[in-house]
């Protein structure tokens, strides 16, 4: 687990180990004179079109050594509210003007909707900033690929708000599974919330969290097959529709998908409204040779263990029990919300900038999660297995 940044000069931390910042334009090869004083952070939101995501307007709150200098939002009322919440010194209607005038070091790209993510993140990178972005990362893999390449060329770090990967319970579970808690990890079974968004929208909005954890535990997927149905029949391109949030086209009201990982683990993802009551809270099951773990996914995940020895020896104890040494159960209720979840990701992101490494919740990891969702659409449309990495980087539902 990466520890939060210590309470020392944040400027010293973030500017060490080869980190460089552009102060008056796109990043140059080297910046011999790093900035003095607090680092400048700004927030980009859009009220009515994704707003400020899951409290991403507060992503910089309480972080030492930086100052929230501005917020941008074309909607005046929403902009004013975000400025009050974040303590931003100035307000802008146009995020491009804000980036040009403020030349920030850090940018929070907050909208839940993905329709503007690519343009906003690209503009922030080109202004010389590191970026923390709401998920889903982008609408297409092509957009994600372009942003990752741009960030690499400018030596900038992108982090994405897949906060569950850094939750105390999840980090602890990863260590315990690596130590043999459930024997050999054999299979992963994930499902979305399976509410009114069941099917394609559930796949993109909640599924990316599930896929991010699948990749965290099992590594890279090799192939995907899927059945996507709309009112009982297999989907075609004609079934593509807009979601309730602008996250790109979606299709289907029932999804069953299968994955194979290079590690030998198999995986599945389900989103069917008719299963909501029996499946329970959305989450992930990890099946091993000696037990099963259930992760109830929320902004603060809960972990339960069911060991299979009693059944194999004729016993009857098949109950789910909290993982006894899970540190998550000791975290007070006041620290289980979005503020602290974002703070964990942002602290790691800032330390990654200082150390010259990729954040744990990196743009590359977010692209991998998005690719699993796009693979399901591609496999469902073609009714055949698709291989990773996907050759087609545009959206499968956009047609040829």
């Amino acid at each position: 687990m990466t520890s939060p940044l210590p309470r020392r000069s944040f400027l010293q931390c973030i500017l060490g180990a080869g980190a460089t910042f552009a102060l008056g334009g796109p990043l140059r090869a080297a910046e011999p004179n790093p900035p003095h004083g607090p680092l400048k952070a700004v927030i980009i939101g859009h009220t009515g079109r994704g707003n400020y995501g899951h409290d991403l307007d507060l992503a910089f709150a309480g972080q030492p050594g930086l100052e929230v200098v501005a917020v941008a939002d074309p909607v005046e009322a929403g902009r004013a509210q975000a400025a009050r919440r974040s303590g931003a010194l100035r307000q802008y209607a146009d995020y491009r003007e804000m980036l040009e005038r403020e030349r920030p070091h850090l940018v929070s790209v907050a909208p839940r909707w993905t329709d503007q993510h690519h343009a906003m993140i690209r503009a922030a990178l080109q202004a010389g900033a590191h970026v923390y972005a709401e998920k889903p990362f982008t609408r297409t893999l092509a957009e994600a690929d372009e942003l990752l390449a741009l960030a690499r060329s400018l030596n900038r770090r992108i982090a994405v708000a897949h906060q569950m990967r850094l939750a105390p319970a999840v980090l602890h579970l990863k260590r315990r599974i690596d130590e043999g808690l459930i024997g050999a990890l054999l299979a992963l079974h994930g499902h979305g919330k399976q509410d009114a968004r069941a099917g394609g929208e559930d796949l993109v909005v909640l599924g990316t969290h599930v896929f991010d954890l699948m990749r965290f535990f099992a590594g890279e997927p090799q192939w995907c097959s899927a059945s996507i149905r709309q009112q009982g029949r297999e989907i075609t391109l004609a079934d593509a529709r807009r979601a309730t949030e602008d996250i790109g086209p979606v299709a289907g009201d029932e999804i069953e998908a299968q994955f194979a990982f290079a590690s030998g683990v198999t995986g599945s993802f389900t989103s069917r409204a008719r299963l909501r009551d029996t499946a329970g809270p959305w989450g992930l099951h990890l099946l091993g040779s000696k037990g099963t773990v259930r992760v109830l996914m929320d902004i603060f995940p809960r972990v339960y263990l069911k060991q299979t020895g009693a059944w194999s020896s004729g016993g009857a104890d098949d109950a789910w029990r909290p993982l006894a040494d899970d540190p998550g159960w000791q975290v007070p209720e006041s620290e289980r919300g979005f503020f602290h979840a974002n703070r964990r990701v942002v602290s790691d992101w800032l330390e990654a900038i200082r150390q010259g490494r990729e954040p744990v919740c990196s743009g590359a990891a977010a692209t991998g999660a998005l690719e699993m969702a796009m693979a399901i659409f591609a496999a469902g449309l073609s009714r055949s297995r698709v291989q990773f990495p996907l050759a087609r980087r545009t959206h499968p539902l956009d047609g040829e």
Side-chain angles (χ1 to χ4, degrees), residues 184-268:
L185 179 62
L186 301 175
L188 303 167
H189 298 321
H191 63 272
K193 288 191 175 179
Q194 306 187 117
D195 52 17
R197 299 168 293 181
E201 186 165 358
D202 196 20
L203 169 66
V204 178
V205 176
L206 284 309
T208 54
H209 275 302
V210 175
F211 302 142
D212 184 59
L213 289 192
M214 283 187 174
R215 294 181 70 255
F216 186 48
F217 287 105
E220 296 297 330
Q222 292 182 308
W223 57 258
C224 170
S225 62
S227 171
I228 307 178
R229 306 181 74 83
Q230 180 71 40
Q231 297 180 341
R233 57 174 176 76
E234 298 281 352
I235 65 162
T236 67
L237 280 175
D239 292 304
R241 67 181 189 277
R242 290 174 60 93
T244 56
E245 300 182 21
D246 198 341
I247 54 171
V250 299
D253 53 25
E254 294 195 340
I255 291 175
E256 291 281 359
Q258 293 77 42
F259 296 94
F261 293 86
S263 60
V265 176
T266 59
S268 67

Side-chain angles (χ1 to χ4, degrees), residues 65-90:
L66 62 79
E67 184 176 42
V68 179
V69 296
V71 60
D73 185 333
V75 180
E76 184 176 3
R79 183 170 70 240
Q81 181 181 26
R84 286 192 299 271
R85 278 169 52 88
S86 66
L89 302 178
R90 290 175 287 279

